[in-house]
Amino acid sequence: MLVHKPITGSTNADVGALGRDGAPHGTAVWADEQTDGRGRLGRTWESPPTGNVYLSVLLRPALPLERAPLLCLAAAVVAAEVAGPHYRIKWPNDVQAPDGRKVAGILAELEVERGALRYVVVGIGLNVNAAPDLPSATSLLDVDGVHRDREELVMALIRGLLTITSELERAPDAVLTRWRRASSTLGKHVRIGSVEGEAIDIDPTGALVVSTPHGVERVFAGDVEMVRRHDA
Ligand code: BTN
């Protein structure tokens, strides 16, 4: 089922409610505008009716709970590939234009029951025709001047999410490889909270592996800042 709404609070909230009611894998809602768009780490996602995509998809993957965070990374791989060949991913799942500005964000919300993953709502906000007025943000239109059909983008995102979810179930390493290939974070000197060092890899759960002067640390959530090396 795919529902299009001119306006809603949050498509993630809509799909979460459908998930609680037992809606099937692949159920999706997209909107022209959200009045209560949610971002990562408790932030707001500005969602004006300016020709962008606000999409949420219900996934019921056969994955152990510890591998569920991989869905966030997998969704970023899909969004970056749909955006175009030169788009990159900042860990865990910000999609960046070739100049490093953010063009899409992903919020994956997990529903867990008795220690097992029941379903995941993957929400994608893609700046198609307009970006928020921030130096760090851009839109597909700003990047190449091409007007895109939002419905085609929505269909490509849903198809991509369903395909990559089954790939994650069968061959998660292949998905990790696709993420590494699209990453703008690996090989960089980064700071995430109190952890600072070189981002050297992601582990099989999707955590960022950082080599610091105190040893190798794994980071499970947070915002990556690119920093200049003190000795550079
Ligand atoms: C981020 O902070 O980068 C993630 C933003 C995710 C926004 C999308 S828009 C569609 C879906 N509905 C929401 O309320 N949030 C997500």
mmCIF file of all heavy atoms in Angstrom, residues 8-54:
data_model
loop_
_atom_site.group_PDB
_atom_site.id
_atom_site.type_symbol
_atom_site.label_atom_id
_atom_site.label_comp_id
_atom_site.label_asym_id
_atom_site.label_seq_id
_atom_site.Cartn_x
_atom_site.Cartn_y
_atom_site.Cartn_z
ATOM 1 N N THR A 8 0.586 16.204 6.511
ATOM 2 C CA THR A 8 0.435 15.324 7.668
ATOM 3 C C THR A 8 1.354 15.821 8.772
ATOM 4 O O THR A 8 2.165 16.723 8.552
ATOM 5 C CB THR A 8 0.747 13.855 7.290
ATOM 6 O OG1 THR A 8 0.354 12.995 8.366
ATOM 7 C CG2 THR A 8 2.232 13.653 7.000
ATOM 8 N N GLY A 9 1.244 15.220 9.966
ATOM 9 C CA GLY A 9 2.154 15.585 11.049
ATOM 10 C C GLY A 9 3.545 15.068 10.722
ATOM 11 O O GLY A 9 4.475 15.824 10.458
ATOM 12 N N SER A 10 3.660 13.740 10.707
ATOM 13 C CA SER A 10 4.930 13.082 10.381
ATOM 14 C C SER A 10 4.601 11.764 9.689
ATOM 15 O O SER A 10 3.808 10.966 10.217
ATOM 16 C CB SER A 10 5.711 12.813 11.676
ATOM 17 O OG SER A 10 6.616 11.751 11.495
ATOM 18 N N THR A 11 5.209 11.525 8.542
ATOM 19 C CA THR A 11 4.946 10.246 7.857
ATOM 20 C C THR A 11 5.491 9.086 8.695
ATOM 21 O O THR A 11 4.959 7.977 8.632
ATOM 22 C CB THR A 11 5.552 10.231 6.439
ATOM 23 O OG1 THR A 11 6.957 10.520 6.530
ATOM 24 C CG2 THR A 11 4.871 11.232 5.528
ATOM 25 N N ASN A 12 6.548 9.319 9.487
ATOM 26 C CA ASN A 12 7.026 8.238 10.354
ATOM 27 C C ASN A 12 5.967 7.870 11.395
ATOM 28 O O ASN A 12 5.765 6.684 11.699
ATOM 29 C CB ASN A 12 8.324 8.647 11.069
ATOM 30 C CG ASN A 12 9.557 8.113 10.373
ATOM 31 O OD1 ASN A 12 9.594 8.053 9.140
ATOM 32 N ND2 ASN A 12 10.572 7.731 11.124
ATOM 33 N N ALA A 13 5.273 8.894 11.937
ATOM 34 C CA ALA A 13 4.208 8.611 12.910
ATOM 35 C C ALA A 13 3.069 7.859 12.218
ATOM 36 O O ALA A 13 2.519 6.889 12.762
ATOM 37 C CB ALA A 13 3.705 9.911 13.522
ATOM 38 N N ASP A 14 2.727 8.276 10.981
ATOM 39 C CA ASP A 14 1.636 7.612 10.251
ATOM 40 C C ASP A 14 1.956 6.132 10.024
ATOM 41 O O ASP A 14 1.127 5.247 10.254
ATOM 42 C CB ASP A 14 1.429 8.266 8.873
ATOM 43 C CG ASP A 14 0.938 9.707 8.991
ATOM 44 O OD1 ASP A 14 0.408 10.066 10.051
ATOM 45 O OD2 ASP A 14 1.111 10.462 8.004
ATOM 46 N N VAL A 15 3.187 5.879 9.561
ATOM 47 C CA VAL A 15 3.547 4.491 9.238
ATOM 48 C C VAL A 15 3.723 3.672 10.528
ATOM 49 O O VAL A 15 3.388 2.489 10.573
ATOM 50 C CB VAL A 15 4.799 4.469 8.336
ATOM 51 C CG1 VAL A 15 5.363 3.069 8.198
ATOM 52 C CG2 VAL A 15 4.434 5.014 6.959
ATOM 53 N N GLY A 16 4.201 4.318 11.594
ATOM 54 C CA GLY A 16 4.299 3.629 12.887
ATOM 55 C C GLY A 16 2.922 3.142 13.340
ATOM 56 O O GLY A 16 2.772 2.006 13.808
ATOM 57 N N ALA A 17 1.900 3.999 13.166
ATOM 58 C CA ALA A 17 0.536 3.609 13.570
ATOM 59 C C ALA A 17 0.044 2.446 12.705
ATOM 60 O O ALA A 17 -0.575 1.498 13.202
ATOM 61 C CB ALA A 17 -0.401 4.809 13.436
ATOM 62 N N LEU A 18 0.354 2.489 11.403
ATOM 63 C CA LEU A 18 -0.047 1.380 10.523
ATOM 64 C C LEU A 18 0.675 0.097 10.930
ATOM 65 O O LEU A 18 0.100 -0.997 10.914
ATOM 66 C CB LEU A 18 0.265 1.732 9.060
ATOM 67 C CG LEU A 18 -0.571 2.870 8.468
ATOM 68 C CD1 LEU A 18 0.008 3.354 7.134
ATOM 69 C CD2 LEU A 18 -2.022 2.424 8.285
ATOM 70 N N GLY A 19 1.955 0.237 11.309
ATOM 71 C CA GLY A 19 2.730 -0.932 11.748
ATOM 72 C C GLY A 19 2.124 -1.569 12.991
ATOM 73 O O GLY A 19 1.998 -2.793 13.077
ATOM 74 N N ARG A 20 1.701 -0.741 13.940
ATOM 75 C CA ARG A 20 1.075 -1.269 15.169
ATOM 76 C C ARG A 20 -0.211 -2.008 14.845
ATOM 77 O O ARG A 20 -0.574 -2.979 15.490
ATOM 78 C CB ARG A 20 0.771 -0.119 16.140
ATOM 79 C CG ARG A 20 1.965 0.309 16.974
ATOM 80 C CD ARG A 20 1.570 1.245 18.103
ATOM 81 N NE ARG A 20 1.132 2.549 17.625
ATOM 82 C CZ ARG A 20 1.951 3.507 17.180
ATOM 83 N NH1 ARG A 20 3.258 3.306 17.141
ATOM 84 N NH2 ARG A 20 1.475 4.670 16.773
ATOM 85 N N ASP A 21 -0.909 -1.545 13.770
ATOM 86 C CA ASP A 21 -2.166 -2.201 13.370
ATOM 87 C C ASP A 21 -1.928 -3.425 12.494
ATOM 88 O O ASP A 21 -2.878 -3.990 11.960
ATOM 89 C CB ASP A 21 -3.041 -1.211 12.578
ATOM 90 C CG ASP A 21 -3.620 -0.148 13.494
ATOM 91 O OD1 ASP A 21 -3.501 -0.310 14.716
ATOM 92 O OD2 ASP A 21 -4.173 0.847 12.966
ATOM 93 N N GLY A 22 -0.663 -3.784 12.263
ATOM 94 C CA GLY A 22 -0.374 -5.018 11.525
ATOM 95 C C GLY A 22 -0.202 -4.852 10.032
ATOM 96 O O GLY A 22 -0.247 -5.840 9.281
ATOM 97 N N ALA A 23 -0.008 -3.620 9.555
ATOM 98 C CA ALA A 23 0.168 -3.411 8.098
ATOM 99 C C ALA A 23 1.380 -4.208 7.609
ATOM 100 O O ALA A 23 2.327 -4.444 8.364
ATOM 101 C CB ALA A 23 0.361 -1.926 7.807
ATOM 102 N N PRO A 24 1.349 -4.618 6.336
ATOM 103 C CA PRO A 24 2.425 -5.492 5.829
ATOM 104 C C PRO A 24 3.704 -4.740 5.467
ATOM 105 O O PRO A 24 3.705 -3.521 5.264
ATOM 106 C CB PRO A 24 1.801 -6.109 4.568
ATOM 107 C CG PRO A 24 0.768 -5.144 4.128
ATOM 108 C CD PRO A 24 0.256 -4.442 5.359
ATOM 109 N N HIS A 25 4.783 -5.526 5.380
ATOM 110 C CA HIS A 25 6.088 -5.098 4.871
ATOM 111 C C HIS A 25 5.883 -4.306 3.570
ATOM 112 O O HIS A 25 5.136 -4.744 2.703
ATOM 113 C CB HIS A 25 6.888 -6.386 4.600
ATOM 114 C CG HIS A 25 8.263 -6.189 4.060
ATOM 115 N ND1 HIS A 25 9.289 -5.689 4.813
ATOM 116 C CD2 HIS A 25 8.783 -6.475 2.836
ATOM 117 C CE1 HIS A 25 10.402 -5.657 4.074
ATOM 118 N NE2 HIS A 25 10.113 -6.136 2.871
ATOM 119 N N GLY A 26 6.506 -3.136 3.478
ATOM 120 C CA GLY A 26 6.414 -2.369 2.235
ATOM 121 C C GLY A 26 5.351 -1.280 2.251
ATOM 122 O O GLY A 26 5.303 -0.468 1.321
ATOM 123 N N THR A 27 4.509 -1.257 3.288
ATOM 124 C CA THR A 27 3.506 -0.185 3.393
ATOM 125 C C THR A 27 4.229 1.168 3.463
ATOM 126 O O THR A 27 5.221 1.301 4.187
ATOM 127 C CB THR A 27 2.665 -0.387 4.683
ATOM 128 O OG1 THR A 27 1.989 -1.636 4.581
ATOM 129 C CG2 THR A 27 1.662 0.745 4.889
ATOM 130 N N ALA A 28 3.742 2.154 2.712
ATOM 131 C CA ALA A 28 4.482 3.425 2.667
ATOM 132 C C ALA A 28 3.530 4.617 2.621
ATOM 133 O O ALA A 28 2.418 4.530 2.090
ATOM 134 C CB ALA A 28 5.385 3.446 1.427
ATOM 135 N N VAL A 29 3.982 5.719 3.215
ATOM 136 C CA VAL A 29 3.240 6.979 3.180
ATOM 137 C C VAL A 29 4.214 8.072 2.762
ATOM 138 O O VAL A 29 5.331 8.136 3.286
ATOM 139 C CB VAL A 29 2.665 7.326 4.578
ATOM 140 C CG1 VAL A 29 1.999 8.706 4.565
ATOM 141 C CG2 VAL A 29 1.673 6.260 5.052
ATOM 142 N N TRP A 30 3.813 8.912 1.808
ATOM 143 C CA TRP A 30 4.629 10.099 1.524
ATOM 144 C C TRP A 30 3.749 11.333 1.506
ATOM 145 O O TRP A 30 2.532 11.234 1.289
ATOM 146 C CB TRP A 30 5.468 9.944 0.258
ATOM 147 C CG TRP A 30 4.776 9.991 -1.066
ATOM 148 C CD1 TRP A 30 3.983 9.031 -1.619
ATOM 149 C CD2 TRP A 30 4.856 11.059 -2.033
ATOM 150 N NE1 TRP A 30 3.564 9.415 -2.862
ATOM 151 C CE2 TRP A 30 4.084 10.657 -3.145
ATOM 152 C CE3 TRP A 30 5.498 12.287 -2.074
ATOM 153 C CZ2 TRP A 30 3.934 11.458 -4.280
ATOM 154 C CZ3 TRP A 30 5.363 13.083 -3.201
ATOM 155 C CH2 TRP A 30 4.579 12.658 -4.287
ATOM 156 N N ALA A 31 4.377 12.468 1.802
ATOM 157 C CA ALA A 31 3.602 13.695 1.966
ATOM 158 C C ALA A 31 4.297 14.850 1.255
ATOM 159 O O ALA A 31 5.504 14.835 1.032
ATOM 160 C CB ALA A 31 3.450 14.006 3.448
ATOM 161 N N ASP A 32 3.474 15.883 0.939
ATOM 162 C CA ASP A 32 4.020 17.118 0.359
ATOM 163 C C ASP A 32 4.542 18.041 1.457
ATOM 164 O O ASP A 32 5.389 18.890 1.211
ATOM 165 C CB ASP A 32 2.920 17.883 -0.387
ATOM 166 C CG ASP A 32 2.365 17.085 -1.549
ATOM 167 O OD1 ASP A 32 3.103 16.254 -2.101
ATOM 168 O OD2 ASP A 32 1.180 17.281 -1.890
ATOM 169 N N GLU A 33 3.954 17.886 2.664
ATOM 170 C CA GLU A 33 4.296 18.779 3.765
ATOM 171 C C GLU A 33 4.112 18.024 5.079
ATOM 172 O O GLU A 33 3.188 17.223 5.202
ATOM 173 C CB GLU A 33 3.329 19.994 3.726
ATOM 174 C CG GLU A 33 3.535 20.961 4.862
ATOM 175 C CD GLU A 33 2.565 22.158 4.802
ATOM 176 O OE1 GLU A 33 1.659 22.173 3.932
ATOM 177 O OE2 GLU A 33 2.726 23.072 5.635
ATOM 178 N N GLN A 34 4.981 18.282 6.046
ATOM 179 C CA GLN A 34 4.806 17.723 7.394
ATOM 180 C C GLN A 34 4.802 18.898 8.389
ATOM 181 O O GLN A 34 5.611 19.824 8.268
ATOM 182 C CB GLN A 34 5.964 16.807 7.775
ATOM 183 C CG GLN A 34 6.122 15.581 6.878
ATOM 184 C CD GLN A 34 7.230 14.657 7.371
ATOM 185 O OE1 GLN A 34 6.978 13.527 7.712
ATOM 186 N NE2 GLN A 34 8.447 15.150 7.409
ATOM 187 N N THR A 35 3.912 18.800 9.367
ATOM 188 C CA THR A 35 3.852 19.872 10.368
ATOM 189 C C THR A 35 4.652 19.516 11.616
ATOM 190 O O THR A 35 4.880 20.358 12.467
ATOM 191 C CB THR A 35 2.390 20.140 10.767
ATOM 192 O OG1 THR A 35 1.811 18.885 11.178
ATOM 193 C CG2 THR A 35 1.609 20.734 9.608
ATOM 194 N N ASP A 36 5.056 18.238 11.712
ATOM 195 C CA ASP A 36 5.786 17.791 12.896
ATOM 196 C C ASP A 36 6.873 16.795 12.468
ATOM 197 O O ASP A 36 7.001 15.711 13.039
ATOM 198 C CB ASP A 36 4.776 17.121 13.852
ATOM 199 C CG ASP A 36 5.366 16.860 15.212
ATOM 200 O OD1 ASP A 36 6.378 17.500 15.562
ATOM 201 O OD2 ASP A 36 4.822 15.991 15.929
ATOM 202 N N GLY A 37 7.616 17.190 11.415
ATOM 203 C CA GLY A 37 8.651 16.289 10.870
ATOM 204 C C GLY A 37 9.738 16.025 11.905
ATOM 205 O O GLY A 37 10.202 16.947 12.565
ATOM 206 N N ARG A 38 10.116 14.771 12.026
ATOM 207 C CA ARG A 38 11.110 14.389 13.040
ATOM 208 C C ARG A 38 12.455 14.119 12.400
ATOM 209 O O ARG A 38 12.530 13.472 11.356
ATOM 210 C CB ARG A 38 10.693 13.088 13.724
ATOM 211 C CG ARG A 38 9.319 13.069 14.306
ATOM 212 C CD ARG A 38 9.070 11.629 14.728
ATOM 213 N NE ARG A 38 7.745 11.429 15.241
ATOM 214 C CZ ARG A 38 7.213 10.224 15.431
ATOM 215 N NH1 ARG A 38 7.891 9.137 15.128
ATOM 216 N NH2 ARG A 38 6.006 10.116 15.916
ATOM 217 N N GLY A 39 13.523 14.572 13.074
ATOM 218 C CA GLY A 39 14.869 14.274 12.616
ATOM 219 C C GLY A 39 15.579 13.349 13.593
ATOM 220 O O GLY A 39 15.007 12.945 14.608
ATOM 221 N N ARG A 40 16.819 13.033 13.288
ATOM 222 C CA ARG A 40 17.631 12.199 14.181
ATOM 223 C C ARG A 40 17.935 12.933 15.469
ATOM 224 O O ARG A 40 17.925 14.152 15.519
ATOM 225 C CB ARG A 40 18.968 11.843 13.521
ATOM 226 C CG ARG A 40 18.894 10.752 12.481
ATOM 227 C CD ARG A 40 20.272 10.513 11.883
ATOM 228 N NE ARG A 40 21.210 10.051 12.879
ATOM 229 C CZ ARG A 40 22.405 10.616 13.120
ATOM 230 N NH1 ARG A 40 22.804 11.680 12.446
ATOM 231 N NH2 ARG A 40 23.195 10.122 14.041
ATOM 232 N N LEU A 41 18.224 12.171 16.505
ATOM 233 C CA LEU A 41 18.687 12.691 17.791
ATOM 234 C C LEU A 41 17.717 13.739 18.346
ATOM 235 O O LEU A 41 18.123 14.757 18.902
ATOM 236 C CB LEU A 41 20.110 13.270 17.655
ATOM 237 C CG LEU A 41 21.159 12.314 17.019
ATOM 238 C CD1 LEU A 41 22.472 13.046 16.746
ATOM 239 C CD2 LEU A 41 21.405 11.100 17.915
ATOM 240 N N GLY A 42 16.409 13.479 18.152
ATOM 241 C CA GLY A 42 15.373 14.327 18.742
ATOM 242 C C GLY A 42 15.174 15.673 18.055
ATOM 243 O O GLY A 42 14.472 16.540 18.583
ATOM 244 N N ARG A 43 15.771 15.842 16.872
ATOM 245 C CA ARG A 43 15.648 17.133 16.204
ATOM 246 C C ARG A 43 14.352 17.208 15.386
ATOM 247 O O ARG A 43 13.661 16.215 15.208
ATOM 248 C CB ARG A 43 16.824 17.351 15.256
ATOM 249 C CG ARG A 43 18.146 17.376 15.973
ATOM 250 C CD ARG A 43 19.233 17.808 14.997
ATOM 251 N NE ARG A 43 20.525 17.648 15.633
ATOM 252 C CZ ARG A 43 21.460 16.781 15.247
ATOM 253 N NH1 ARG A 43 21.271 16.024 14.189
ATOM 254 N NH2 ARG A 43 22.584 16.684 15.911
ATOM 255 N N THR A 44 14.091 18.415 14.876
ATOM 256 C CA THR A 44 12.946 18.632 13.992
ATOM 257 C C THR A 44 13.439 18.577 12.554
ATOM 258 O O THR A 44 14.567 18.985 12.278
ATOM 259 C CB THR A 44 12.385 20.048 14.276
ATOM 260 O OG1 THR A 44 11.914 20.053 15.621
ATOM 261 C CG2 THR A 44 11.259 20.419 13.340
ATOM 262 N N TRP A 45 12.609 18.068 11.641
ATOM 263 C CA TRP A 45 12.945 18.098 10.213
ATOM 264 C C TRP A 45 11.990 19.087 9.550
ATOM 265 O O TRP A 45 10.795 18.819 9.445
ATOM 266 C CB TRP A 45 12.808 16.708 9.590
ATOM 267 C CG TRP A 45 13.267 16.618 8.151
ATOM 268 C CD1 TRP A 45 12.466 16.577 7.059
ATOM 269 C CD2 TRP A 45 14.611 16.553 7.665
ATOM 270 N NE1 TRP A 45 13.234 16.494 5.909
ATOM 271 C CE2 TRP A 45 14.559 16.478 6.259
ATOM 272 C CE3 TRP A 45 15.866 16.551 8.281
ATOM 273 C CZ2 TRP A 45 15.696 16.390 5.464
ATOM 274 C CZ3 TRP A 45 17.001 16.463 7.490
ATOM 275 C CH2 TRP A 45 16.910 16.384 6.104
ATOM 276 N N GLU A 46 12.513 20.259 9.188
ATOM 277 C CA GLU A 46 11.678 21.269 8.535
ATOM 278 C C GLU A 46 11.095 20.666 7.266
ATOM 279 O O GLU A 46 11.839 20.162 6.429
ATOM 280 C CB GLU A 46 12.525 22.491 8.151
ATOM 281 C CG GLU A 46 13.156 23.238 9.324
ATOM 282 C CD GLU A 46 12.115 23.806 10.274
ATOM 283 O OE1 GLU A 46 11.009 24.158 9.803
ATOM 284 O OE2 GLU A 46 12.399 23.856 11.490
ATOM 285 N N SER A 47 9.768 20.715 7.116
ATOM 286 C CA SER A 47 9.130 20.006 5.993
ATOM 287 C C SER A 47 8.094 20.867 5.292
ATOM 288 O O SER A 47 6.904 20.530 5.257
ATOM 289 C CB SER A 47 8.465 18.724 6.511
ATOM 290 O OG SER A 47 9.313 17.985 7.342
ATOM 291 N N PRO A 48 8.508 22.009 4.730
ATOM 292 C CA PRO A 48 7.543 22.884 4.057
ATOM 293 C C PRO A 48 7.088 22.287 2.720
ATOM 294 O O PRO A 48 7.751 21.396 2.180
ATOM 295 C CB PRO A 48 8.367 24.163 3.817
ATOM 296 C CG PRO A 48 9.780 23.683 3.722
ATOM 297 C CD PRO A 48 9.898 22.495 4.627
ATOM 298 N N PRO A 49 5.968 22.809 2.171
ATOM 299 C CA PRO A 49 5.441 22.268 0.905
ATOM 300 C C PRO A 49 6.166 22.881 -0.297
ATOM 301 O O PRO A 49 5.558 23.551 -1.126
ATOM 302 C CB PRO A 49 3.970 22.679 0.949
ATOM 303 C CG PRO A 49 3.974 23.946 1.744
ATOM 304 C CD PRO A 49 5.095 23.851 2.742
ATOM 305 N N THR A 50 7.465 22.640 -0.374
ATOM 306 C CA THR A 50 8.271 23.290 -1.415
ATOM 307 C C THR A 50 8.770 22.293 -2.457
ATOM 308 O O THR A 50 9.801 22.511 -3.086
ATOM 309 C CB THR A 50 9.462 24.013 -0.763
ATOM 310 O OG1 THR A 50 10.039 23.135 0.217
ATOM 311 C CG2 THR A 50 9.052 25.301 -0.099
ATOM 312 N N GLY A 51 8.049 21.161 -2.579
ATOM 313 C CA GLY A 51 8.414 20.217 -3.637
ATOM 314 C C GLY A 51 9.499 19.233 -3.236
ATOM 315 O O GLY A 51 10.292 18.817 -4.090
ATOM 316 N N ASN A 52 9.531 18.864 -1.956
ATOM 317 C CA ASN A 52 10.487 17.845 -1.502
ATOM 318 C C ASN A 52 9.771 16.529 -1.258
ATOM 319 O O ASN A 52 8.550 16.424 -1.359
ATOM 320 C CB ASN A 52 11.187 18.330 -0.231
ATOM 321 C CG ASN A 52 12.087 19.510 -0.519
ATOM 322 O OD1 ASN A 52 12.573 19.655 -1.639
ATOM 323 N ND2 ASN A 52 12.284 20.364 0.466
ATOM 324 N N VAL A 53 10.532 15.503 -0.900
ATOM 325 C CA VAL A 53 9.943 14.197 -0.600
ATOM 326 C C VAL A 53 10.074 13.922 0.892
ATOM 327 O O VAL A 53 11.160 14.028 1.458
ATOM 328 C CB VAL A 53 10.654 13.085 -1.415
ATOM 329 C CG1 VAL A 53 10.368 11.713 -0.822
ATOM 330 C CG2 VAL A 53 10.211 13.119 -2.875
ATOM 331 N N TYR A 54 8.941 13.617 1.503
ATOM 332 C CA TYR A 54 8.902 13.166 2.892
ATOM 333 C C TYR A 54 8.232 11.791 2.853
ATOM 334 O O TYR A 54 7.027 11.695 2.622
ATOM 335 C CB TYR A 54 8.093 14.139 3.767
ATOM 336 C CG TYR A 54 8.507 15.586 3.545
ATOM 337 C CD1 TYR A 54 7.637 16.499 2.936
ATOM 338 C CD2 TYR A 54 9.773 16.027 3.915
ATOM 339 C CE1 TYR A 54 8.017 17.814 2.712
ATOM 340 C CE2 TYR A 54 10.167 17.345 3.689
ATOM 341 C CZ TYR A 54 9.288 18.235 3.087
ATOM 342 O OH TYR A 54 9.667 19.535 2.861
#
